Amino acid sequence: MPEPTQGKYVEPEFERDTDYIEDRITRDGEQWPVQPGRYRLVVARACPWANRAIIVRRLLGLEGAISMGICGPTHDADSWTFDLDPEGLDPVLGIPRIKDAYLARFPDYPKGITVPAIVDVPSGEVVTNDFPQITLDLSGEWTELHREGAPQLYPEHLRAEIDEVNKRVYTEVNNGVYRCGFAGTQESYDAAYERLFTALDWLEERLATQRYLVGDTITEADVRLFTTLARFDAVYHGHFKCNRSKLTEMPVLWAYARDLFQTPGFGDTTDFVQIKSHYYEVHRDINPTGVVPAGPDLSGWGTAHGRESLGGRPFGDGTPPGPPPEGERVSPGNNPHVGDDGLISL
């Protein structure tokens, strides 16, 4: 199944398949050079790994340089589909499912059909689904196409520290919630649960005295942590049995998450309805009935967080992005804090 198709159900514990298509789009690339309008970023708002790419593309102002196709929140065992689009076809690629772009390049592609993926529009072939590298390359290789005032999400002088933090956040938190949710034995679940909350306690301590994970501005590290935190109470606490504490019961992380949520590019890319639809409807081995819970109450995401007292500047010397393009806005019905202009309204 494509999500968590980056992984598979393995006894006694969940293992994520990290064998991705490692091609890169680079400024001096021969096969895949950076070119405005050539590529399409295919995402699903429900997927935390894809949500990272949505955020980074928006923060950097790359909407005009790389178009975005949005799959629906649910899928079958075969692939993510473009069921949100008229006639169920992506309007640029003309395909009903992202699997078609994978097979156009690799007719016998044996691995998971995952998002995010970048597709070469002229050929209709997938270029890469290497989600950690995609966002780094959007920051480092697409710089000539960044908007004026785009933030430095992966500044060279902080890269070693960002990489170190990202490694622990990925293994213990981003992937840790899946390790809990797909544990095949009590023993493996107990171990995963302990690792997850040990890491969350570390983050509580780290963020108690600094506004952002690394340095005094938003970086790639904050993007990667945010997409897990945004899904924590809505999905991971109950569906994945990560239930020692809700996010709202971890005061530092809850304030940190609200700070980011209220920052342009973060909350306005968060679709709670699609998030819940995906996890509860697709993971029938965990939730056999497919019933989607009505909660949690989302009103708290708009409350004051007080993180300004720690200093820091969200965009450094840059500026926040403007409103998202009309066709890419999250429906206010799917996130009650989104206004008619697509931005967070508190």
Side-chain angles (χ1 to χ4, degrees):
M1 59 182 178
E3 217 287 319
T5 53
Q6 296 106 328
K8 51 189 175 181
Y9 207 172
V10 179
E11 296 290 353
E13 63 184 45
F14 172 78
E15 247 177 45
R16 185 169 297 279
D17 181 359
T18 57
D19 188 12
Y20 301 107
I21 304 169
E22 296 182 344
D23 288 28
R24 296 175 58 192
I25 299 168
T26 58
R27 60 167 60 89
D28 57 355
E30 294 186 9
Q31 183 178 12
W32 311 118
V34 170
Q35 290 180 2
R38 175 173 174 177
Y39 305 100
R40 188 157 177 82
L41 174 66
V42 176
V43 300
R45 293 193 188 279
C47 173
W49 321 100
N51 197 176
R52 297 176 178 185
I54 298 172
I55 292 170
V56 169
R57 172 179 173 271
R58 174 151 157 63
L59 293 178
L60 299 177
L62 287 169
E63 293 95 337
I66 178 169
S67 65
M68 185 167 74
I70 305 175
C71 298
T74 61
H75 56 68
D76 54 28
D78 201 28
S79 176
W80 294 89
T81 60
F82 295 101
D83 53 298
L84 301 177
D85 292 307
E87 300 182 6
L89 297 175
D90 179 86
V92 172
L93 301 173
I95 57 177
R97 55 183 64 232
I98 186 58
K99 180 178 181 178
D100 295 333
Y102 280 77
L103 296 184
R105 184 172 177 202
F106 304 108
D108 298 316
Y109 188 74
K111 296 173 286 187
I113 308 296
T114 64
V115 291
I118 296 182
V119 178
D120 176 50
V121 174
S123 67
E125 297 180 356
V126 67
V127 176
T128 180
N129 65 341
D130 189 354
F131 70 90
Q133 192 62 50
I134 286 174
T135 52
L136 296 180
D137 284 343
L138 290 178
S139 285
E141 299 294 332
W142 292 70
T143 51
E144 293 183 4
L145 297 170
H146 289 179
R147 67 178 175 86
E148 185 177 354
Q152 297 291 318
L153 298 178
Y154 195 51
E156 191 167 353
H157 70 287
L158 293 177
R159 287 182 185 179
E161 186 177 358
I162 291 172
D163 290 347
E164 181 181 0
V165 169
N166 281 348
K167 182 178 180 180
R168 184 169 184 183
V169 167
Y170 170 74
T171 58
E172 305 304 299
V173 181
N174 301 145
N175 200 41
V177 293
Y178 284 85
R179 196 180 293 112
C180 288
F182 287 96
T185 67
Q186 186 67 51
E187 182 181 13
S188 61
Y189 166 75
D190 289 344
Y193 178 96
E194 179 65 26
R195 287 178 61 179
L196 171 64
F197 282 99
T198 295
L200 291 175
D201 288 343
W202 163 70
L203 288 166
E204 278 272 298
E205 182 177 354
R206 182 182 183 92
L207 289 165
T209 56
Q210 60 189 66
R211 190 171 178 183
Y212 303 110
L213 276 174
V214 181
D216 64 354
T217 64
I218 291 168
T219 68
E220 174 82 13
D222 300 295
V223 174
R224 294 190 182 194
L225 177 57
F226 173 78
T227 59
T228 295
L229 297 183
R231 288 157 176 76
F232 201 88
D233 286 4
V235 175
Y236 302 143
H237 179 270
H239 184 59
F240 278 179
K241 307 179 187 70
C242 303
N243 61 356
R244 189 200 74 179
S245 310
K246 295 178 181 177
L247 175 64
T248 55
E249 296 167 344
M250 294 179 274
V252 173
L253 278 173
W254 175 222
Y256 165 80
R258 299 199 317 274
D259 187 5
L260 290 177
F261 180 86
Q262 295 169 26
T263 300
F266 288 85
D268 53 42
T269 66
T270 303
D271 189 314
F272 289 108
V273 168
Q274 290 196 23
I275 287 168
K276 291 196 299 181
S277 173
H278 170 70
Y279 285 92
Y280 286 102
E281 293 185 62
V282 172
H283 297 163
R284 293 302 179 98
D285 45 349
I286 298 176
N287 186 40
T289 64
V291 171
V292 180
D297 179 4
L298 301 174
S299 61
W301 282 100
T303 60
H305 51 77
R307 298 282 293 178
E308 302 94 339
S309 64
L310 295 173
R313 300 171 298 153
F315 299 99
D317 294 329
T319 57
E326 187 171 351
E328 296 182 2
R329 295 174 184 175
V330 172
S331 167
N334 291 8
N335 181 336
H337 298 286
V338 171
D340 292 337
D341 60 357
L343 292 170
I344 292 296
S345 178
L346 304 178

